[in-house]
Amino acid sequence: MSPLRIAAVLLGATLAVTLASPAGADVRKPPVDGRAGYQLGGAYRPAKGVDIVIRDRSVRAAKRRYNVCYVNSFQTQPGSLRWWKRHHPRLLLRKNGRLVRDPGWPGEVLLDTTRKQKRRAIVRVQRRWYARCAKDGFDAVEPDNLDSWTRSRHRLSRSDNIALARRLTRLAHRHGLAIAQKNTPQLSRRQARRIGFDFAIAEECEVYRECARYTRTYRRRVIEIEYTDNGRRAFKRACRKRGDRISVLLRDRDVVPRGKPAYRYRWC
């Protein structure tokens, strides 16, 4: 076989492997069963033994840890509504002319994912946020409120949010970032895989008996967070059931920094 023919065959094989590889195959996924620190209420020095640190996109990553960048991708972040109204008012969800707010977090307004053009615009807004996460040393992103359609007063649909999630996954992977499915047990295993998520972050899944929906899809790459205001029985059950296979931690509801009176943190 001639050298040119050999080169062509090798190139074809390389392309075939590349095309057959799943999206995000080259990103760095979180360590299996790594101890996680959930620091959304404010950054602080991770406790000894913590392998994974989850922080808001407004702060830098922790040194010598696997870092996850929190981005409120389907709703506005508290305190940012004025900015959205000024720069992107058409991306805010409305019903009968009134903004649709998250009933559990009144400071957060849902983003309008109902049309392809709006989903593209939402991604354009967040493109620089994801890029900044990568620049600041994060390894992954946690796009929150994927399940916003359940609080949209029937304005959004699951398919709307899945379509946006697929765009965000491609965006994250282009920046070399893994991406988490945040909560949303309503997704089937097939839907989650089609979106392209790399792991899951699940809050209170033991309380609501939902954890198996995440472990079936992501196996050991699940970070489970239980909260003290539910009592500690759910956390203890989670440790017995899964504490030797996935990361399970207990936090105070406001995830305040260490040193604050309300700070609570345990892992299995």
Side-chain angles (χ1 to χ4, degrees), residues 22-36:
D26 295 331
V27 302
R28 182 185 172 209
K29 297 180 181 181
V32 170
D33 193 25
R35 289 179 173 174

Side-chain angles (χ1 to χ4, degrees), residues 19-214:
L19 292 172
S21 298
D26 295 331
V27 302
R28 182 185 172 209
K29 297 180 181 181
V32 170
D33 193 25
R35 289 179 173 174
Y38 209 46
Q39 299 190 5
L40 300 190
Y44 54 93
R45 186 175 180 179
K48 186 177 180 180
V50 167
D51 307 296
I52 303 166
V53 175
I54 305 170
R55 289 178 171 174
D56 186 79
R57 66 178 179 84
S58 62
V59 299
R60 291 187 177 275
K63 295 180 180 179
R64 296 181 294 277
R65 303 292 196 283
Y66 184 94
N67 286 270
V68 181
C69 188
Y70 172 91
V71 181
N72 202 345
S73 289
F74 292 79
Q75 299 181 181
T76 67
Q77 190 73 346
S80 69
L81 183 55
R82 180 180 297 179
W83 181 87
W84 281 95
K85 285 181 175 179
R86 179 180 300 171
H87 297 284
H88 304 285
R90 295 183 181 180
L91 300 183
L92 299 173
L93 186 67
R94 289 176 169 84
K95 184 169 185 178
N96 299 325
R98 302 185 66 178
L99 294 173
V100 179
R101 299 174 183 267
D102 185 329
W105 299 90
E108 299 186 20
V109 172
L110 279 60
L111 299 182
D112 189 346
T113 64
T114 55
R115 297 170 58 192
K116 182 183 293 186
Q117 294 87 343
K118 292 192 175 185
R119 294 192 290 269
R120 286 176 176 170
I122 291 170
V123 172
R124 285 196 296 270
V125 171
Q126 299 193 35
R127 185 179 296 150
R128 62 181 180 273
W129 299 348
Y130 281 50
R132 183 62 183 267
C133 289
K135 182 179 179 181
D136 286 348
F138 288 91
D139 303 284
V141 287
E142 174 194 358
D144 201 9
N145 291 302
L146 170 62
D147 61 350
S148 65
W149 84 84
T150 66
R151 301 180 292 279
S152 69
R153 295 159 60 188
H154 308 291
R155 289 282 288 116
L156 304 179
S157 70
R158 182 186 313 206
S159 60
D160 293 332
N161 283 22
I162 286 176
L164 176 57
R166 292 181 71 177
R167 288 181 178 274
L168 293 175
T169 296
R170 291 195 292 270
L171 177 64
H173 288 162
R174 281 200 298 270
H175 287 290
L177 299 165
I179 186 168
Q181 175 184 333
K182 176 66 178 292
N183 298 330
T184 323
Q186 297 92 338
L187 290 187
S188 68
R189 186 178 182 182
R190 182 179 180 182
Q191 288 171 329
R193 287 186 168 179
R194 287 189 65 189
I195 292 169
F197 291 127
D198 301 296
F199 64 107
I201 297 175
E203 295 176 293
E204 303 174 275
C205 68
E206 179 59 34
V207 172
Y208 298 107
R209 303 295 199 273
E210 298 166 342
C211 301
R213 299 184 185 183
Y214 302 105

